[in-house]
Amino acid sequence: MLDQSIDFIRVTIALVMLGIATSSDIKKREISDIVWIIFGAAGAIMLIFSVDITEDLFKVGIALIVAPIALIIWRVGLFGGADAFALIALAVIAPGMTVFGGTVTPFTTLTNAVLLSIVPMLVNAVRNTILLASKRNIFDGFEETKARKIFAMFIGYRAANPKFGFSIERMQGKKKKLKLSIQHAESTQFCEKKDTWITPGIPYMVFIAAGFVVQLVFGDILATVFGIF
């Protein structure tokens, strides 16, 4: 009974942390490091109240396997430092937790987040397909291959007044070209040019929070769908 109460508190701490972090990321596109310090410390303190502290320390140790992977992804620029710290804090606060007993690994929140981040790409594709079907020339002025245009339709869209988006077009002489290389999550500036192709700068914290919630109520999407475990 005590174990369940402690787990409930741990999950609550994790959800409150993710709620604060996600809200801050959406509004300001930044998250104070104090969030990770306070909530990470709260998770560490909860270990004192463990029924079996040795077992719980082992769980935290296993969960922290995600830490070096998260830090590498951050340094490569696929997401921000706050996203890496969120995954590390979650490993301390709620290591491998799931409510309904689904399959969970140290990478579950991360892999769930990656899969959920595909949803905006599908939305982009549908939006662009509808515009093309309605005879809108969304690639007006571009000289690009069909394959690159299709790829662009998944990763972005033509925005009249972009906000919190990264430009994916450039000028080559008098011709417009698509810039489809990876945008560094922390060093790339948001686009301010009007009527231009952008990839939306959706805070990755949204997907991490959603990935953790899916972990709680379902488990690991990848492992379950492909029967990895």
Side-chain angles (χ1 to χ4, degrees), residues 85-100:
F85 297 145
L87 291 169
I88 294 169
L90 284 173
V92 175
I93 299 167
M97 289 193 176
T98 182
V99 176
F100 298 111

Side-chain angles (χ1 to χ4, degrees), residues 71-86:
L71 293 173
I72 290 171
I73 294 174
W74 166 34
R75 299 312 298 174
V76 170
L78 296 181
F79 60 44
D83 305 309
F85 297 145

Side-chain angles (χ1 to χ4, degrees), residues 16 35 37 46 52 90 101 135 150 162 183 189 194 201 220:
V16 171
V35 173
I37 294 171
M46 289 303 299
D52 188 339
L90 284 173
K135 307 301 181 182
I150 292 173
Q183 307 274 6
Q189 298 296 314
K194 294 184 178 182
D220 192 299

Side-chain angles (χ1 to χ4, degrees), residues 13 34-48 89 92-93:
I13 291 172
I34 294 175
V35 173
W36 319 123
I37 294 171
I38 291 175
F39 286 94
I45 290 171
M46 289 303 299
L47 289 169
I48 299 173
V92 175
I93 299 167

Side-chain angles (χ1 to χ4, degrees), residues 82 140 153 179 184 188 190-191 214 228:
D140 183 33
M153 287 175 63
K179 184 173 63 176
H184 196 287
T188 306
F190 289 123
C191 178
V214 171
I228 297 174

